[in-house]
């Protein structure tokens, strides 16, 4: 079987498109809005995501700063508690807040 060659007359196709648009000029704004609405939603979502990422970074940094401040405010001998199991004292080291 021989392959068939397809030829396209671009001038004829362009003139058909131009005639169609001249008959239906309302299609131009509709076509633009069909393309612009998803693009606008994409940009809006990207901007909101970046804003919330930055807020999350700020909150994590605040948590780190509070943990460091609590560690520096605690006196040196304050972290020892009496243990009945071992008959003496042991160091009590609370865990720092974990990051999400």
């Amino acid at each position: 079987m021989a392959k068939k060659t397809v030829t396209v007359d671009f001038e004829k196709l362009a003139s058909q498109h131009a005639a169609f648009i001249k008959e239906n000029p309302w299609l131009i704004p509709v076509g633009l809005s069909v393309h612009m609405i998803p693009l606008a939603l994409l940009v809006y979502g990207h901007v909101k995501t970046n804003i919330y990422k930055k807020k999350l970074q700020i909150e994590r940094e605040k948590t780190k700063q509070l943990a460091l401040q609590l560690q520096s405010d605690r006196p040196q001998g304050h972290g020892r508690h009496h243990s009945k199991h071992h008959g003496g004292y042991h160091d009590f080291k609370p865990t720092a807040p974990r990051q999400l």
Side-chain angles (χ1 to χ4, degrees):
M1 287 172 76
K3 291 186 178 180
K4 293 182 181 180
T5 305
V6 177
T7 58
V8 177
D9 186 9
F10 287 110
E11 289 180 21
K12 182 179 175 185
L13 190 61
S15 65
Q16 287 175 349
H17 285 184
F20 186 74
I21 293 296
K22 283 182 183 177
E23 292 171 8
N24 302 304
W26 57 271
L27 286 174
I28 294 172
V30 171
L32 286 175
S33 65
V34 164
H35 286 88
M36 294 304 289
I37 290 173
L39 180 63
L41 291 173
L42 180 77
V43 170
Y44 176 78
H46 184 70
V47 168
K48 277 295 198 183
T49 301
N50 285 341
I51 289 171
Y52 286 126
K53 280 183 182 178
K54 185 57 76 175
K55 285 183 179 182
L56 182 61
Q57 284 178 343
I58 291 169
E59 290 301 319
R60 284 181 177 166
E61 186 62 31
K62 285 181 184 178
T63 304
K64 286 181 187 177
Q65 294 295 329
L66 284 173
L68 290 173
Q69 185 179 14
L70 285 174
Q71 287 177 356
S72 66
D73 288 347
R74 181 174 291 165
Q76 289 295 327
H78 192 77
R80 298 174 73 78
H81 293 278
H82 186 69
S83 173
K84 293 182 180 178
H85 298 290
H86 300 292
Y89 288 94
H90 69 280
D91 288 326
F92 174 70
K93 296 177 183 173
T95 59
R98 293 189 313 170
Q99 286 185 337
L100 298 176

